[in-house]
Amino acid sequence: MEPDFRSPKLKNGHGNPILDFHFSADPTAVEYDGRLYVYATNDHQQYDRVGQNGKNTYERIKSLVMFSTGDMVNWTYHGLIDVADIAPWIIASWAPSVVKREEGDGKTRFYLYFSNSGFGTGVLTSESPVGPWTSPLDKSLVDANTPGLGNCKVPFDPGAVVDPDGVGWLTVGAGSSRIMRLGDDMTSIGSEIKEIRAPKHFEANELNYINGTYVYTYNNDWQERNDWAENAEVPTRCSMSYMVSKTPLEPDSWKYCHHYLKNPGDCGFDASNNHTHLHKFKGRWYIFYHNLSLQSSFNTNGGFRNVCVDEIAVDEDNIDIKLAEQTVKGPAQIEPMNPFDVIQAETTFATHGVKFEETPCAGDMVVVPDKEFALTMVKGVRFTKEPVRCQVMASGKGRIEVRKDSAYGELLAAVDVDAVSSTLHISDVTGSAGDELCDLYFVLTGRDLCFDRWQFR
């Protein structure tokens, strides 16, 4: 009999929330080298500080979360960006927006804009999607004292995009939104700051560039819609809307379209604030958002959020973003996982009783059992040939059992680990993998066990 798993994903086999062990919110994403890297507000930092009976009032959050995928089902956890350590001048760090750009020196650089509490917007830079990250400025890029903001008193919740000419654009604001062209260095303001007259604007700014058009998405407010004046469908309260323009610094050029994601409270979940990111990855459009569905697994109702993802229909020819659904099931797997590749242990679909620890390499983690019965699970694995060996890189003393389709399923291999430092351990495969899609469970037992990566041969 399997234990009472806390993870909803181990109970129902569905893909949302993305992480079953960590509260996160306000997602953004960037594609690099065939993978999609997602960054989010680290709600778990607040949860760790106030506990399950506390409330998510956000002020303790001074780091961001990183995770990535190649198949939209299995996710590699890259740990945290400790913004308070990198930029000690911050008040807090929320709601990132990330872009990349190929620079004149041939290198690809990443620019991560984030809310410095409600006071302003900061920026971090890196030459890798997982860091190390640095702060090019000793203050916010934009804050409440920046000239030209007008009545935009809360220039946070940044939304950034780089257009095909390599020009960066940034939107900020709450209650009133602003857009500006970034300087050539991507860390300065390179134009006048202009208003986007977004109806019922609240927060959660983001930018996309689709088929020659700038697409601005935002969260509309909770107020009644009795004064709605747009020649468009009235959006539901605290939903996500979008506007389009080909000349973003001309306020009159922005056209309101419609809403494309309702509030979680109108989709069968608890009501919450709303924040999305749209991204096209491997030919399909996805919408990243957050809700409160993970809270019950942690026995809390303090407002701790979790990032989810679903497919969304986007008509690129007419720049029409269709109304999306929020599901527990999540998106389909793009392609099966290849077990003959080297797979990082921190790549999981679901987990139970584990924690993740950093290694000296930026963005690299190891899996450590945190309970007597601990496991990680990956979904949709296909063996194209019968394996003969299983090898894992690990340290400590213990055992890693690889089981098929269940925590107590057929035993494919049992790898005994006994090493002071991370060492390659090899075991014969004793079970039959077969050629049908399957899930793999890595059951971890032992003292001081650190699981780094695995591969079948």
Side-chain angles (χ1 to χ4, degrees), residues 208-217 242-246 254-258 260 278 285 313-322:
N208 284 79
Y209 186 88
I210 303 173
N211 192 21
T213 302
Y214 297 85
V215 180
Y216 168 64
T217 61
Y242 75 101
M243 303 178 72
V244 296
S245 171
K246 293 185 180 294
W254 286 99
K255 175 189 175 185
Y256 179 85
C257 296
H258 55 80
Y260 60 90
L278 294 165
W285 280 95
V314 177
D315 179 349
E316 297 183 41
D317 292 333
N318 298 297
I319 319 298
D320 185 13
I321 304 170
K322 308 297 184 180

Side-chain angles (χ1 to χ4, degrees), residues 21-65:
F21 56 87
H22 200 103
F23 292 117
S24 59
D26 309 320
T28 185
V30 66
E31 183 178 352
Y32 181 68
D33 198 22
R35 293 188 68 80
L36 192 61
Y37 290 82
V38 179
Y39 309 80
T41 303
N42 183 17
D43 276 22
H44 215 90
Q45 188 170 23
Q46 183 87 14
Y47 174 80
D48 284 340
R49 294 294 296 273
V50 303
Q52 67 181 39
N53 296 321
K55 297 297 182 182
N56 191 8
T57 47
Y58 314 124
E59 78 280 355
R60 307 290 183 91
I61 302 174
K62 300 187 179 185
S63 58
L64 301 169
V65 191

